[in-house]
């Protein structure tokens, strides 16, 4: 357990916003988490990799940083493994580890920033795979009830970038278990540019490592690296609208891309397209703006404050609403 007073949070959030908290306590197991919770009466904020958060002011409380590590094999049978990972492990390092073991199912989720503990909260997803597709269970500590609870996949109530944990801040993720394939991996290469990327790599029979490499290459070509330009990935969720509103919009904008959802009455529209049409792509507003290669990402060019970034998000939301009648919802937690 490490305790620092008046802690600078610039390195703890991928937007690189210069804010502080009264105290930061890192914990690496259940005992140290319990000690950290009891340490003071301050308001608490649980932080993982800080890659989905926008600080608009100093946090007048104690930040608890989750550094619970460990990867362990829980079960192996003929076709799959069940692996348990600590919430404080870095997601992409974990993905690389699984691919090295030739465990499949996780390769499309390569290079997503953040920690493993944040993954179920957001139900992270990319290139046709969501965490819920491979998740077995999530173990949490309930701060209010002072007890450890395990949630099976159904209890996690996963939705698009949504889960039970997102609405229950008293739960601190300790670990999760995933089911990964050992042989006969089911490869998902039909989403986005994956097959195009594999073609350009001259790969006819891809392995999970090849798919991971392709995803990494696509992400690197479109998404800014937070180590060089502050950002939190997609700032907004892709809006889901009913088929009636969709038809009306499609008549006005025949080139608008769209995706089906699990419900035949609902259609998903890429927010990046809406934002680009609204004229924001690559446009700078002071130290912030929408990224030049992916308008869904809001960036910090170096010195932006959280408030400036929030104001830009509102500017984008207003214009998109005015033009398309669609209300965008931030994916990022604004504090
Ligand atoms: N598009 C534009 N202009 C843009 C950006 C996108 O017209 O500036 C269009 C693209 O041409 C394409 C469509 O929008 O037709 C979708 O774009 P893309 O494939 O880049 O994906 P996305 O829907 O914008 C989602 C996830 C990403 C994930 C990618 C790939 C959300 C909010 N975002 O983005 O997740 O990597 O799909 O699967 O669902 C994240 O959550 O932080 C994230 C990066």
């Amino acid at each position: 357990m490490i305790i620092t007073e008046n802690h600078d949070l610039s390195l703890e959030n991928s937007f690189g916003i210069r804010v502080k908290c009264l105290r930061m306590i890192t914990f690496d197991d259940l005992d140290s988490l319990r000690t950290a919770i009891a340490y003071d009466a301050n308001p608490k904020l649980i932080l993982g990799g800080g890659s989905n958060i926008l600080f608009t002011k100093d946090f007048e409380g104690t930040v608890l940083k989750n550094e619970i590590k460990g990867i362990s094999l829980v079960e192996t049978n003929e076709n799959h493994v069940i692996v348990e990972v600590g919430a404080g492990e870095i997601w992409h390092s974990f993905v690389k580890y699984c691919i090295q073991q030739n465990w499949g199912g996780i390769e499309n989720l390569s290079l997503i920033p953040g920690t493993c503990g944040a993954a179920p909260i957001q139900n992270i997803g990319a290139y046709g795979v969501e965490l819920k597709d491979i998740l077995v269970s999530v173990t949490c500590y309930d701060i209010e009830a002072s007890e450890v609870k395990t949630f099976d996949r159904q209890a996690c109530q996963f939705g698009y970038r949504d889960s039970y944990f997102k609405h229950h801040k008293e739960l601190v993720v300790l670990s999760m278990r995933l089911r990964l394939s050992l042989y006969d991996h089911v490869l998902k290469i039909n989403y986005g540019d994956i097959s195009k990327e594999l073609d350009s790599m001259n790969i006819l029979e891809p392995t999970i490592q090849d798919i991971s490499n392709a995803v990494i290459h696509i992400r690197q070509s479109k998404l800014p690296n937070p180590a060089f330009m502050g950002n939190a990935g997609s700032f907004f969720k892709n809006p889901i609208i009913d088929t009636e509103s969709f038809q009306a919009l499609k008549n006005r904008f025949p080139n608008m891309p769209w995706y089906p959802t699990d419900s035949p009455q609902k259609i998903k529209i890429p927010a990046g397209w809406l934002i680009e049409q609204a004229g924001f792509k690559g446009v700078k507003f002071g130290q912030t703006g929408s990224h030049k290669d992916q308008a869904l990402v809001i960036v910090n060019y170096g010195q932006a404050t959280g408030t400036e970034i929030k104001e830009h998000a509102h500017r984008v939301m207003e214009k998109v609403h005015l033009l398309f009648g669609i209300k965008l919802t931030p994916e990022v937690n604004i504090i």
Side-chain angles (χ1 to χ4, degrees):
M1 209 169 95
I2 301 167
I3 303 173
T4 45
E5 305 294 330
N6 204 21
H7 187 87
D8 174 6
L9 292 168
S10 351
L11 295 177
E12 314 292 346
N13 74 99
S14 64
F15 261 119
I17 304 294
R18 296 194 180 126
V19 285
K20 288 181 169 181
C21 59
L22 294 180
R23 178 173 292 135
M24 187 166 96
I25 308 181
T26 60
F27 62 94
D28 57 10
D29 60 13
L30 178 58
D31 279 347
S32 56
L33 169 61
R34 283 195 172 117
T35 310
I37 291 164
Y39 192 84
D40 60 33
N42 287 343
K44 303 285 188 300
L45 173 71
I46 315 290
L47 201 62
S51 56
N52 202 40
I53 195 164
L54 175 64
F55 286 104
T56 56
K57 51 182 180 301
D58 288 342
F59 181 66
E60 301 294 337
T62 299
V63 167
L64 303 184
K65 180 137 194 243
N66 196 333
E67 292 201 343
I68 300 176
K69 303 282 187 197
I71 302 175
S72 56
L73 192 57
V74 175
E75 189 185 304
T76 310
N77 73 19
E78 274 171 37
N79 301 316
H80 70 256
V81 291
I82 292 183
V83 58
E84 182 167 288
V85 59
E89 290 284 351
I90 301 297
W91 173 260
H92 183 58
S93 309
F94 172 63
V95 171
K96 282 198 291 193
Y97 176 85
C98 294
I99 292 171
Q100 273 161 16
Q101 313 302 310
N102 198 30
W103 297 340
I106 205 169
E107 55 282 356
N108 293 46
L109 302 177
S110 295
L111 210 63
I112 295 182
T115 56
C116 290
I121 301 175
Q122 272 287 91
N123 182 23
I124 56 170
Y127 303 102
V129 175
E130 285 185 325
L131 184 75
K132 72 170 171 55
D133 303 335
I134 47 173
L135 187 128
V136 175
S137 63
V138 179
T139 298
C140 300
Y141 181 68
D142 183 330
I143 295 181
E144 282 168 11
S146 304
E147 61 180 276
V148 174
K149 294 178 174 170
T150 295
F151 297 77
D152 65 17
R153 187 186 349 194
Q154 207 183 349
C156 295
Q157 297 179 11
F158 288 122
Y160 166 58
R161 296 293 191 276
D162 197 20
S163 72
Y164 183 81
F165 316 110
K166 205 161 177 174
H167 309 281
H168 289 266
K169 303 287 183 211
E170 74 280 11
L171 296 172
V172 181
V173 178
L174 302 173
S175 64
M176 67 177 163
R177 289 185 177 189
L178 304 182
R179 182 192 306 268
L180 300 171
S181 55
L182 261 177
Y183 310 104
D184 300 332
H185 304 305
V186 180
L187 305 180
K188 295 212 174 166
I189 58 168
N190 294 325
Y191 190 95
D193 292 337
I194 296 188
S195 49
K196 213 166 50 176
E197 190 64 36
L198 290 168
D199 284 349
S200 73
M201 292 156 74
N202 284 323
I203 290 167
L204 297 176
E205 288 187 24
T207 62
I208 54 174
Q209 181 68 66
D210 295 327
I211 292 180
S212 173
N213 293 344
V215 167
I216 289 173
H217 196 247
I218 299 168
R219 289 187 74 98
Q220 284 175 336
S221 69
K222 275 195 194 171
L223 298 169
N225 183 342
F228 304 111
M229 192 186 281
N231 76 89
S234 303
F235 195 93
F236 302 101
K237 291 192 205 182
N238 284 330
I240 294 174
I241 60 175
D242 59 51
T243 38
E244 233 170 73
S245 320
F246 168 69
Q247 266 318 328
L249 273 177
K250 193 75 184 154
N251 293 340
R252 278 173 62 206
F253 306 98
N255 296 330
M256 180 177 75
W258 59 278
Y259 305 110
T261 66
D262 291 344
S263 155
Q265 280 88 41
K266 302 278 179 196
I267 304 287
K268 196 192 268 186
I269 309 291
W273 184 86
L274 299 170
I275 298 167
E276 180 171 351
Q277 300 304 306
F280 288 109
K281 189 169 183 171
V283 181
K284 248 175 138 178
F285 293 84
Q287 286 291 304
T288 184
S290 304
H291 190 245
K292 66 177 177 46
D293 300 322
Q294 168 48 294
L296 190 48
V297 177
I298 297 185
V299 292
N300 174 4
Y301 287 106
Q303 307 296 324
T305 63
T307 305
E308 279 173 89
I309 292 175
K310 187 179 163 189
E311 279 166 9
H312 179 61
H314 280 285
R315 188 181 292 133
V316 168
M317 288 162 79
E318 267 171 36
K319 183 104 184 266
V320 165
H321 188 234
L322 192 74
L323 291 176
F324 302 98
I326 291 179
K327 284 191 173 154
L328 293 179
T329 313
E331 189 196 275
V332 168
N333 296 311
I334 301 172
I335 302 249

